[in-house]
């Protein structure tokens, strides 16, 4: 997921009808759900989520056949409800990563690629739009790592 200072965002996933590309928004100040506020560029499940101060990001995931694993990085604004745009790619297609961020960069940690191989890398992509970089290798294979949500 992603979060602004006032709202949380859930994007992608699956439901009984199949894979989803929906971006949903909910306010932190109440228990109400605002619902579908935009679409990702592709249907996907098990992506990582990152947040800058002004945008949410959705990276990687599984798109189902024939798309299979994805490496796409989507970006959507917090200021207006609209569809995401494709702003780049991870170093490889993968799913089940942890999504994290600093003030300037988004990160994906660990994950799985095909054929169900656990990954030990960390990818970094600058929010300013510069090319993504594989920065390091974690010590152990990490699958389905928990992601922490930062509230600005």
């Amino acid at each position: 997921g992603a979060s602004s200072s006032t709202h949380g965002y859930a994007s992608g996933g699956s439901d009984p009808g199949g894979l989803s590309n929906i971006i949903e928004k909910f306010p932190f100040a109440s228990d109400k759900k605002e619902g579908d506020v935009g679409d990702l560029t592709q249907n996907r499940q098990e992506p990582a989520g990152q947040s800058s101060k002004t945008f949410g990001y959705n990276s990687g995931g599984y798109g189902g056949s024939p798309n299979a694993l994805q490496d796409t990085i989507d970006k959507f604004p917090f200021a207006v409800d609209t569809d995401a745009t494709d702003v780049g790619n991870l170093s490889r297609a993968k799913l089940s990563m942890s999504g994290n961020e600093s003030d300037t960069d988004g990160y994906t940690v660990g994950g799985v690629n095909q054929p169900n191989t656990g990954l030990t890398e960390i990818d970094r992509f600058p929010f300013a739009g510069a090319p993504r970089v594989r920065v390091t290798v974690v010590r152990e294979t990490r699958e389905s790592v928990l992601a922490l949500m930062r509230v600005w």
Side-chain angles (χ1 to χ4, degrees), residues 92-145:
R92 70 167 99 189
K94 50 190 164 181
L95 73 149
S96 297
M97 303 94 26
S98 171
N100 304 93
E101 66 274 327
S102 69
D103 288 340
T104 58
D105 301 295
Y107 295 85
T108 63
V109 181
V112 176
N113 71 351
Q114 289 180 336
N116 205 21
T117 302
L119 301 173
T120 60
E121 68 225 18
I122 299 173
D123 279 349
R124 172 178 56 90
F125 59 92
F127 294 140
R132 57 98 187 117
V133 180
R134 184 177 297 167
V135 285
T136 191
V137 175
V138 293
R139 292 184 184 186
E140 299 174 22
T141 299
R142 307 276 188 209
E143 294 180 18
S144 301
V145 224

Side-chain angles (χ1 to χ4, degrees), residues 12-144:
S14 61
D15 58 34
L19 299 181
S20 173
N21 69 342
I22 294 173
I23 301 169
E24 292 184 297
K25 176 179 173 179
F26 58 92
F28 293 137
S30 75
D31 291 336
K32 89 174 197 181
K33 177 176 134 182
E34 293 186 19
D36 183 344
V37 296
D39 293 328
L40 298 172
T41 60
Q42 303 163 320
N43 292 340
R44 65 179 82 159
Q45 67 182 14
E46 297 186 57
Q50 297 87 6
S51 306
S52 72
K53 290 186 179 183
T54 53
F55 291 92
Y57 295 80
N58 180 295
S59 54
Y62 178 74
S65 294
N67 297 333
L69 296 181
Q70 297 179 359
D71 63 358
T72 305
I73 302 169
D74 280 355
K75 172 181 174 180
F76 55 92
F78 294 142
V80 294
D81 297 339
T82 189
D83 292 342
T85 56
D86 180 339
V87 295
N89 300 90
L90 298 172
S91 63
R92 70 167 99 189
K94 50 190 164 181
L95 73 149
S96 297
M97 303 94 26
S98 171
N100 304 93
E101 66 274 327
S102 69
D103 288 340
T104 58
D105 301 295
Y107 295 85
T108 63
V109 181
V112 176
N113 71 351
Q114 289 180 336
N116 205 21
T117 302
L119 301 173
T120 60
E121 68 225 18
I122 299 173
D123 279 349
R124 172 178 56 90
F125 59 92
F127 294 140
R132 57 98 187 117
V133 180
R134 184 177 297 167
V135 285
T136 191
V137 175
V138 293
R139 292 184 184 186
E140 299 174 22
T141 299
R142 307 276 188 209
E143 294 180 18
S144 301

Side-chain angles (χ1 to χ4, degrees), residues 2-9 25-29 34 78 149-150:
S3 59
S4 70
S5 60
T6 59
H7 290 83
Y9 294 80
K25 176 179 173 179
F26 58 92
F28 293 137
E34 293 186 19
F78 294 142
M149 186 174 1
R150 171 192 268 185

